[in-house]
Amino acid sequence: MILWQKSNIIKAITVGLAVLPGAAGSAVTIIFAGLAIAGLVGVFRKNVSAHFSKYDYIIIYAALGFFGVNALSLIRPDFEMDDLTALVKPLLFLLAYCVIRFFRSTDHDTLFALFLKAVPFGAFLLIPWMIYEAFYLGSRMEAGAGNAIPFAMICAIMIPICLMQLRSKQKAYQLMSAVACIIFFTCLIYAQTRSMYVAVIPNIVIALGYLFYVSKQKIKILLFSALILMCSAVYALNSGIVAERFAKLTQAYAALHDASEIQDESVQHRIALLKKGVCFAQHRPFTGYGLSNRKDILKSQDIPQNGYFEFCGQNHGVFKYSHFHNGFLTAVIDAGVFGLIVTIAMLLAPLTLALMSPRDAVKPARIATALCVTSVYTAAAFTNLLFGHDLIDAIFLIFAVFLALSIPGPSKTHKTNTA
């Protein structure tokens, strides 16, 4: 009876992690941290064993390296005890080991399939948010994420996963997944995050490629894929929101080319942040400035002396931001080239795990899911934030953990269930 209850609790947690990201936001981070605590408790209980797969360590070592390098960046002459607060966000990555350990001590074989299957249900939790924010207030959708950018990232990941569920043999579930895809797509448009408009395109192609690969009815999938792509293109191109956002972007880059004033404040600030970040990064490319000093740099009126970039003498007025709106540049500012290396290693860890995983019935779903997550986070890295936001970090780690769990541990010899 106890085992039955524990199994159902774990399944409920899995479903919660799949359906809550968009609607409940940081509650997902709290659940992830709670699982980490449960896993940590298991370390001290000799009667709780966890059989790690060798593939788990791709995630664990990447997360450890990411945390370690960022922690070492604080070791500098101007270190103060208050600087330790900067480690709160990277600490979430260190907890990945504990979360994997928690699940590995349970009957976890079906959790990856359950996680993917539960994703479409989360779309229906967004309907009240859509009605209130998009239709009533007429504002950018943030929903439970509290910010339009992480919310758009969530939608861009969930759209292809909903498409992947169309391989189900249950007609009612197929229909629900299709409706969920439309809801997530609509929410993405109302989130008004241009980088995610771009990121979702390869993700749709990845999902349709997955369906074509696993389906026995190739012609039917091809026709269905063409219909979805055509409808998505017509829907997006005829959306006034999408047209307006890209019109502003086109005007901004035209102004940049003509050396005239940029009217789009978003693009204007990103260019200013990029220039300021490059100026500082070239001054300390190997050591960086320390994770805790980033905001001081953004607020600083001073520009390092150098002979490389003539724009470094300008005051760019980007004092209100907490990062450089480029995840790779932010990593260099924080911890130098070593920070960049561990950031890229962390970004590619789920995809590396999926590609190196054993050839089984789940591998196509594993690779498709990892590609979609990597696509979204890479797109976000160039114009927004890669890591350093609690929900963004938690979503990435949740997908990484479930990708790892899709591979049986050394004590499991039976075939993994199909995702």
Side-chain angles (χ1 to χ4, degrees):
M1 183 67 179
I2 295 176
L3 289 176
W4 181 88
Q5 290 177 342
K6 183 178 180 181
S7 175
N8 279 273
I9 290 172
I10 290 169
K11 289 179 180 178
I13 291 171
T14 300
V15 171
L17 291 174
V19 304
L20 292 177
S26 294
V28 175
T29 310
I30 295 172
I31 295 173
F32 187 85
L35 293 175
I37 294 172
L40 189 61
V41 170
V43 173
F44 300 100
R45 293 178 60 187
K46 295 181 180 180
N47 61 329
V48 177
S49 60
H51 301 278
F52 284 94
S53 161
K54 64 180 181 180
Y55 302 98
D56 294 341
Y57 292 102
I58 295 175
I59 304 299
I60 292 170
Y61 288 151
L64 180 62
F66 181 82
F67 175 82
V69 170
N70 279 286
L72 288 174
S73 75
L74 297 178
I75 302 177
R76 51 189 64 250
D78 58 349
F79 171 78
E80 297 178 0
M81 291 302 296
D82 289 344
D83 293 342
L84 291 176
T85 58
L87 286 179
V88 172
K89 292 177 180 177
L91 183 64
L92 198 65
F93 289 85
L94 197 62
L95 299 181
Y97 165 83
C98 299
V99 175
I100 293 176
R101 192 186 193 286
F102 169 78
F103 280 116
R104 285 293 184 191
S105 64
T106 67
D107 184 14
H108 59 268
D109 285 3
T110 61
L111 293 184
F112 180 62
L114 177 63
F115 178 79
L116 295 184
K117 191 171 184 178
V119 163
F121 292 93
F124 297 92
L125 298 179
L126 297 177
I127 293 176
W129 286 105
M130 187 192 304
I131 294 172
Y132 177 68
E133 290 186 323
F135 301 153
Y136 179 70
L137 295 180
S139 61
R140 292 180 68 176
M141 274 197 72
E142 300 177 353
N147 186 292
I149 293 173
F151 178 67
M153 292 173 67
I154 291 168
C155 291
I157 295 173
M158 300 313 190
I159 288 169
I161 291 180
C162 289
L163 286 175
M164 289 165 60
Q165 303 315 301
L166 295 178
R167 67 165 297 188
S168 173
K169 296 178 181 179
Q170 299 174 340
K171 298 298 182 182
Y173 180 72
Q174 279 186 336
L175 178 60
M176 189 203 71
S177 297
V179 173
C181 182
I182 294 171
I183 294 172
F184 276 124
F185 195 83
T186 305
C187 289
L188 175 63
I189 288 176
Y190 281 105
Q192 301 183 38
T193 302
R194 285 172 292 209
S195 60
M196 292 302 105
Y197 290 166
V198 176
V200 78
I201 296 173
N203 277 10
I204 291 175
V205 174
I206 290 166
L208 296 178
Y210 165 79
L211 286 174
F212 181 76
Y213 180 81
V214 300
S215 175
K216 295 180 181 179
Q217 299 176 317
K218 307 293 186 185
I219 301 299
K220 181 180 178 181
I221 290 297
L222 276 175
L223 294 174
F224 184 67
S225 302
L227 179 63
I228 288 181
L229 287 173
M230 183 178 69
C231 291
S232 299
V234 170
Y235 183 33
L237 292 174
N238 283 278
S239 167
I241 295 173
V242 176
E244 181 183 356
R245 295 290 287 172
F246 276 111
K248 287 183 178 180
L249 185 64
T250 302
Q251 293 169 4
Y253 281 104
L256 182 65
H257 181 267
D258 298 336
S260 57
E261 186 178 354
I262 300 172
Q263 299 299 320
D264 190 320
E265 188 178 81
S266 176
V267 176
Q268 188 180 52
H269 287 170
R270 278 173 170 78
I271 293 173
L273 286 162
L274 183 64
K275 287 181 177 180
K276 187 167 188 176
V278 168
C279 292
F280 274 90
Q282 60 82 34
H283 192 62
R284 293 186 186 177
F286 296 104
T287 62
Y289 293 84
L291 188 63
S292 60
N293 293 326
R294 185 199 309 162
K295 289 184 179 180
D296 292 336
I297 293 173
L298 284 160
K299 293 177 181 178
S300 174
Q301 296 273 6
D302 300 326
I303 297 295
Q305 295 295 321
N306 69 92
Y308 299 105
F309 307 106
E310 61 181 14
F311 54 70
C312 288
Q314 302 173 18
N315 177 12
H316 301 302
V318 290
F319 311 125
K320 65 179 181 179
Y321 294 96
S322 61
H323 59 89
F324 288 87
H325 276 65
N326 183 296
F328 303 120
L329 178 58
T330 299
V332 175
I333 293 292
D334 290 346
V337 293
F338 298 105
L340 178 63
I341 290 170
V342 295
T343 297
I344 294 174
M346 190 70 250
L347 172 64
L348 296 178
L351 182 58
T352 303
L353 180 148
L355 293 173
M356 294 179 63
S357 64
R359 188 180 296 275
D360 56 19
V362 188
K363 187 164 186 174
R366 201 181 288 134
I367 292 176
T369 302
L371 279 170
C372 290
V373 173
T374 305
S375 169
V376 165
Y377 276 77
T378 301
F382 282 109
T383 57
N384 295 304
L385 182 66
L386 177 51
F387 300 128
H389 180 282
D390 70 308
L391 182 57
I392 291 176
D393 297 347
I395 296 298
F396 181 86
L397 292 171
I398 287 166
F399 274 96
V401 166
F402 280 106
L403 282 165
L405 294 174
S406 68
I407 305 171
S411 66
K412 302 290 183 179
T413 57
H414 57 279
K415 191 175 182 180
T416 306
N417 293 335
T418 303

